[in-house]
């Protein structure tokens, strides 16, 4: 601002000359008198637009609006798109952070300027001059703008300024929160994964020789080595599971439709009421030395020892299986039937006065039969999880002829509920019977032995496994034997699917996870409101200023210095800071272009 030239007097002191200068210059500004032409510099376009009007604030508001529009356009274009479609050198979140910061910084300027302008509007009535500081502080941050609300609770423009400031602070965090990267499961083409199954089984190995207790040598074809391992593992472990068969999956994640396969099922029955005792002449059931059996074994000799014999009171458990070549009365699907005779209370063997042995013995019948099981499999991160959904035990198995490789063979065949055929060659079924009866389900257990088992020709893995389940299992007895035999059946069913000469596969669909850009547009409500409310606040302040013909002084401190009237300035020089703040002033128009803050006494 140019000042009117002053005639200096040599008789005035420096302080007096300065006071005279301010008095004259203030009088000119207050009266609105134009300056001499030679001292009135021409204002630049920048000054007229940005310093003496609202052009700068409006421009920055449009910068904020443009940044928000760019954010909305980008997020709208890439919402739901795979991350691989994003080709920018910046990540989505980085670009969003940059744009939101630009919008936040830009929109804060018009809001801060508008809050500062409020102080000039506020002084259209008599106010304490110290209240100017409240508006200037409020333009700098949220806390002071909230304090201004408490001091000016009835002025709607103050509320708009405080709310605008609050929303601006949330603009960046809420904009960035709107974007997340989500894994979406996608499917490969069907057949990109598979699980082994078996609908038909033919697997017979070369003959095996086996020494029998009667000094004869048994020779027969035997089951595959993997199946032998499966039988032994089932007898000596407890954790056989359909999940032991690992599927093939290209991506490590596959889903399968329910599929069915030939399987082996187990059953256990209590046949204690059918026990038969054969005692030597003069012996009774209260003395050791009697032989014990059941009608099925009496009619069908075993491959091994035919009877449970208590010799010197040492045997507590005996296992025997029927030697059946022509087929089982229970049906052609039976692979083996075996019997377990044991004393649940082994203390009977050591009593001086023997308890009736027949009354103390318990007899169980175990069987392994062909069946069809339906499985449900999922492969997740390379781990196969398979559960048995359904077991079909009561199918109509029949001995029929079938042509294989131009050769007629006898097979044990059945169809399931979906009219799908499952079969095992009769020769293979007979091979299972010979091996399981002669080499698996036999043996004795004697608790008197230091190791707990007899390690002679009559001991077996079956004796070890069954004695442990019957005497020490949880649960014990019949349920313990049922659990063990179910474990054997599961282990053998797994081997059926992996060792068959005609193994098939159930197709699966490989899945993979694709990272997608996901936008929750609800998080953008706050950023949009912050821009809109800032515009409303800016326009409201501009309109109120023009209505009262107040220039766009905003936070200009020079305007404050020159607007104070000389009398007020002189009085303020005699007061301390606290007293100055309590001085009452009012903004009044002085002339066509001049304004002054005139002091007003209470």
């Amino acid at each position: 601002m140019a000042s009117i030239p002053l005639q200096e007097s040599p008789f005035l002191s420096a302080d007096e000359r300065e006071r005279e200068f301010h008095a004259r210059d203030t009088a000119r500004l207050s009266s609105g008198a134009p300056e001499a032409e030679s001292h009135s510099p021409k204002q630049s376009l920048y000054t007229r637009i940005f310093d003496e009007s609202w052009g700068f604030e409006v421009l920055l508001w449009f910068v904020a609006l443009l940044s928000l529009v760019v954010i909305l356009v980008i997020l709208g274009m890439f919402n739901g798109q795979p991350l691989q479609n994003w080709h920018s050198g910046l990540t989505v979140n980085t670009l969003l952070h940059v744009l939101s910061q630009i919008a936040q910084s830009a929109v804060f300027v018009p809001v801060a300027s508008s809050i500062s302008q409020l102080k000039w509007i506020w002084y259209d009535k008599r106010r304490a001059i110290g209240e100017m500081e409240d508006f200037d502080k409020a333009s700098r941050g949220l806390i002071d703008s909230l304090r201004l609300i408490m001091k000016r609770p009835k002025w709607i423009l103050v509320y708009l300024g405080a709310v605008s400031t609050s929303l601006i602070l949330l603009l960046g965090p809420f904009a960035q929160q709107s974007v997340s990267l989500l894994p979406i499961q996608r499917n490969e083409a069907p057949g990109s994964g598979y699980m082994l199954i078996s609908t038909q089984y033919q697997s017979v190995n070369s003959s095996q020789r086996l020494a029998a207790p009667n000094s004869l040598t048994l020779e027969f074809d035997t089951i595959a080595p993997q199946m032998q391992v499966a039988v032994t593992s089932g007898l000596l472990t407890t954790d056989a599971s359909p999940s032991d068969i690992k599927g093939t999956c290209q991506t490590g994640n596959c889903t399968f439709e329910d599929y069915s396969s030939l399987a082996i099922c187990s059953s256990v029955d209590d046949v204690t009421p059918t026990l038969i005792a054969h005692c030597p002449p003069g012996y009774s059931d209260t003395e050791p030395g009697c032989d014990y059996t059941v009608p099925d074994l009496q009619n069908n000799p075993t491959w091994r020892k035919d009877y449970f014999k208590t010799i010197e009171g040492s045997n507590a458990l005996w296992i025997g299986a029927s030697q059946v070549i022509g087929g089982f009365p229970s049906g052609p699907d039976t692979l083996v039937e075996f019997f377990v005779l044991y004393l649940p209370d082994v203390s009977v063997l050591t009593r001086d006065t023997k308890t009736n042995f027949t009354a103390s013995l318990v007899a169980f019948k175990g069987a392994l039969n062909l069946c069809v099981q339906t499985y449900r499999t999922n492969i997740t991160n390379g781990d196969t999880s398979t559960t048995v959904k359904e077991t079909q035990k009561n199918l109509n198995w029949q001995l029929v002829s079938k042509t294989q490789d131009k050769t007629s063979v006898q097979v044990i065949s059945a169809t399931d509920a979906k009219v799908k055929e499952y079969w095992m060659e009769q020769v293979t079924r007979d091979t299972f019977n010979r091996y399981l009866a002669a080499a698996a389900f036999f043996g004795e257990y004697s608790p008197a032995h230091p190791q707990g088992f007899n390690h002679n020709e009559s001991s077996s893995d079956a004796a070890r496994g069954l004695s442990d389940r019957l005497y020490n299992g949880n649960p014990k007895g019949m349920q313990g034997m049922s659990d063990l035999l179910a474990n054997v059946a599961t282990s053998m069913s797994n081997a059926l699917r992996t060792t068959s000469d005609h193994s098939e596969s159930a197709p699966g669909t490989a899945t993979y996870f694709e990272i997608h850009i996901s936008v929750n547009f609800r998080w953008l409500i706050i950023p949009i409101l912050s821009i809109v409310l800032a515009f409303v606040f800016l326009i409201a302040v501009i309109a109120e200023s023009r209505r009262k013909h107040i220039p766009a002084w905003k936070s200009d401190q020079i305007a404050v210095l020159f607007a104070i009237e000389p009398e007020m300035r002189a009085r303020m020089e005699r007061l301390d800071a606290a007293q100055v703040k309590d001085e009452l002033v009012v903004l009044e128009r002085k002339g066509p272009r001049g304004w002054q803050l005139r002091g007003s006494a209470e």
Side-chain angles (χ1 to χ4, degrees):
M1 296 180 180
S3 62
I4 299 174
L6 298 177
Q7 296 294 326
E8 295 189 19
S9 171
F11 304 102
L12 297 176
S13 66
D15 291 339
E16 290 172 332
R17 287 197 302 270
E18 182 178 357
R19 284 196 295 271
E20 183 178 347
F21 171 85
H22 283 295
R24 293 182 181 180
D25 203 25
T26 302
R28 180 193 58 78
L29 291 172
S30 300
S31 63
E35 297 182 8
E37 187 67 26
S38 59
H39 297 279
S40 178
K42 185 177 181 180
Q43 292 180 326
S44 67
L45 180 63
Y46 176 88
T47 301
R48 293 198 304 271
I49 294 178
F50 295 108
D51 287 347
E52 297 184 356
S53 70
W54 295 92
F56 185 61
E57 285 76 13
V58 173
L59 175 63
L60 287 182
W61 183 85
F62 274 105
V63 170
L65 177 64
L66 180 61
S67 299
L68 182 60
V69 170
V70 172
I71 289 175
L72 293 173
V73 170
I74 291 175
L75 296 185
M77 290 175 57
F78 287 93
N79 183 29
Q81 294 295 314
L83 185 59
Q84 63 185 9
N85 292 351
W86 179 267
H87 301 298
S88 172
L90 298 176
T91 65
V92 181
N93 293 93
T94 300
L95 182 60
L96 195 59
H97 175 75
V98 171
L99 291 174
S100 62
Q101 284 299 310
I102 293 175
Q104 189 175 36
S105 301
V107 78
F108 186 78
V109 173
V111 171
S113 296
S114 298
I115 294 176
S116 294
Q117 181 69 12
L118 288 180
K119 67 175 178 285
W120 300 108
I121 303 174
W122 178 249
Y123 281 98
D124 65 339
K125 296 181 181 180
R126 188 179 61 182
R127 316 285 186 185
I129 196 171
E131 295 181 9
M132 280 193 178
E133 188 178 9
D134 295 336
F135 287 92
D136 287 335
K137 287 182 178 179
S139 67
R140 299 169 193 158
L142 175 63
I143 302 300
D144 287 310
S145 64
L146 295 178
R147 288 177 179 172
L148 186 62
I149 290 179
M150 292 185 288
K151 293 182 178 181
R152 312 287 177 266
K154 296 182 179 180
W155 199 7
I156 186 63
L157 290 180
V158 171
Y159 279 96
L160 282 176
V163 174
S164 296
T165 303
S166 304
L167 293 180
I168 289 171
L169 295 178
L170 299 175
L171 188 153
F174 272 65
Q176 295 175 58
Q177 185 66 30
S178 66
V179 176
S180 59
L181 301 179
L182 298 180
I184 304 297
Q185 182 172 297
R186 300 297 187 192
N187 293 335
E188 295 278 5
S192 48
Y194 65 87
M195 292 291 298
L196 289 176
I197 63 172
S198 178
T199 59
Q200 49 187 284
Y201 192 83
Q202 291 174 287
S203 184
V204 177
N205 280 28
S206 57
S207 61
Q208 171 176 316
R209 293 179 179 274
L210 184 69
N214 54 10
S215 298
L216 297 176
T217 298
L218 303 175
E219 183 173 347
F220 51 84
D221 292 337
T222 188
I223 58 179
Q226 298 94 322
M227 185 64 76
Q228 297 181 37
V229 172
V231 173
T232 302
S233 176
L235 288 169
L236 300 180
T237 64
T238 61
D239 57 355
S241 168
S243 299
D244 294 338
I245 299 180
K246 304 303 178 185
T248 299
C249 182
Q250 293 179 359
T251 63
N253 295 280
C254 283
T255 58
F256 294 82
E257 297 289 338
D258 292 345
Y259 59 92
S260 299
S261 178
L262 188 66
I264 295 175
C265 296
S266 62
S267 62
V268 175
D269 296 307
D270 187 350
V271 293
T272 303
T274 67
L275 272 172
I276 301 172
H278 297 287
C279 296
Y283 277 68
S284 68
D285 287 345
T286 59
E287 300 175 279
C290 296
D291 296 329
Y292 296 88
T293 187
V294 291
D296 285 348
L297 293 181
Q298 186 168 265
N299 298 329
N300 299 289
T302 68
W303 284 97
R304 299 272 187 165
K305 190 174 182 179
D306 289 334
Y307 301 104
F308 174 32
K309 193 175 188 66
T310 56
I311 303 174
E312 301 299 327
S314 62
N315 293 334
L317 179 145
W318 172 86
I319 306 169
S322 300
Q323 178 184 344
V324 179
I325 301 299
F328 292 93
S330 56
D333 57 310
T334 303
L335 301 183
V336 67
E337 287 181 345
F338 67 95
F339 295 85
V340 176
L341 279 63
Y342 83 109
L343 290 168
D345 182 8
V346 295
S347 65
V348 172
L349 298 172
T350 59
R351 293 175 186 169
D352 294 334
T353 303
K354 301 297 181 182
T355 304
N356 183 288
F357 270 63
T358 304
S360 301
L361 277 174
V362 171
F364 295 143
K365 174 185 176 182
L368 294 175
N369 299 76
L370 293 176
C371 63
V372 174
Q373 288 185 328
T374 301
Y375 301 95
R376 177 168 294 173
T377 296
N378 285 291
I379 300 177
T380 305
N381 297 328
D383 294 329
T384 302
S385 174
T386 301
T387 56
V388 178
K389 182 182 177 183
E390 181 184 9
T391 298
Q392 301 179 59
K393 291 185 176 181
N394 300 318
L395 298 178
N396 184 24
W397 295 91
Q398 297 180 343
L399 182 62
V400 298
S401 297
K402 183 176 288 291
T403 301
Q404 288 288 316
D405 299 327
K406 300 181 180 181
T407 302
S408 179
V409 295
Q410 296 292 307
V411 299
I412 312 299
S413 174
T415 55
D416 64 4
K418 296 182 179 180
V419 198
K420 185 175 182 179
E421 185 182 23
Y422 300 85
W423 56 268
M424 174 182 285
E425 193 175 7
Q426 183 185 19
V427 173
T428 304
R429 193 284 308 266
D430 293 342
T431 301
F432 266 101
N433 172 241
R434 294 187 185 98
Y435 177 82
L436 294 173
F441 292 102
F442 73 96
E444 299 176 359
Y445 164 67
S446 173
H449 193 279
Q451 299 299 325
F453 299 100
N454 282 329
H455 292 282
N456 52 34
E457 71 282 355
S458 61
S459 66
S460 66
D461 292 330
R464 292 184 179 91
L466 282 167
S467 61
D468 184 60
R469 288 299 187 97
L470 290 169
Y471 291 109
N472 305 313
N474 184 22
K476 302 179 182 179
M478 183 175 178
Q479 187 58 52
M481 179 175 168
S482 296
D483 293 343
L484 177 67
L485 203 56
N487 195 65
V488 174
T490 299
S491 182
M492 293 178 66
S493 295
N494 292 343
L496 273 184
R497 295 168 57 184
T498 57
T499 63
S500 174
D501 293 340
H502 298 278
S503 288
E504 304 170 55
S505 61
T509 301
T511 62
Y512 63 94
F513 288 96
E514 186 177 59
I515 304 300
H516 279 235
I517 300 172
S518 177
V519 180
N520 187 343
F521 286 96
R522 288 177 295 180
W523 286 101
L524 294 173
I525 294 176
I526 293 298
I528 293 173
L529 281 178
S530 68
I531 301 297
V532 172
L533 193 60
F535 180 75
V536 171
F537 181 48
L538 175 62
I539 296 301
V541 171
I542 293 175
E544 186 67 9
S545 298
R546 290 189 175 183
R547 187 177 70 84
K548 297 184 177 182
H549 306 288
I550 299 176
W553 287 329
K554 295 170 261 188
S555 59
D556 191 348
Q557 299 301 320
I558 296 178
V560 178
L561 294 175
F562 281 97
I564 298 176
E565 65 176 352
E567 293 80 1
M568 183 69 184
R569 188 191 307 275
R571 186 166 62 254
M572 290 170 58
E573 290 178 355
R574 298 191 298 269
L575 303 176
D576 58 26
Q579 291 173 326
V580 169
K581 290 183 178 181
D582 292 333
E583 285 293 307
L584 299 178
V585 295
V586 62
L587 183 65
E588 294 180 343
R589 192 172 184 84
K590 191 71 173 178
R593 296 179 56 192
W595 291 84
Q596 70 174 3
L597 283 171
R598 184 175 61 82
S600 176
E602 289 284 353

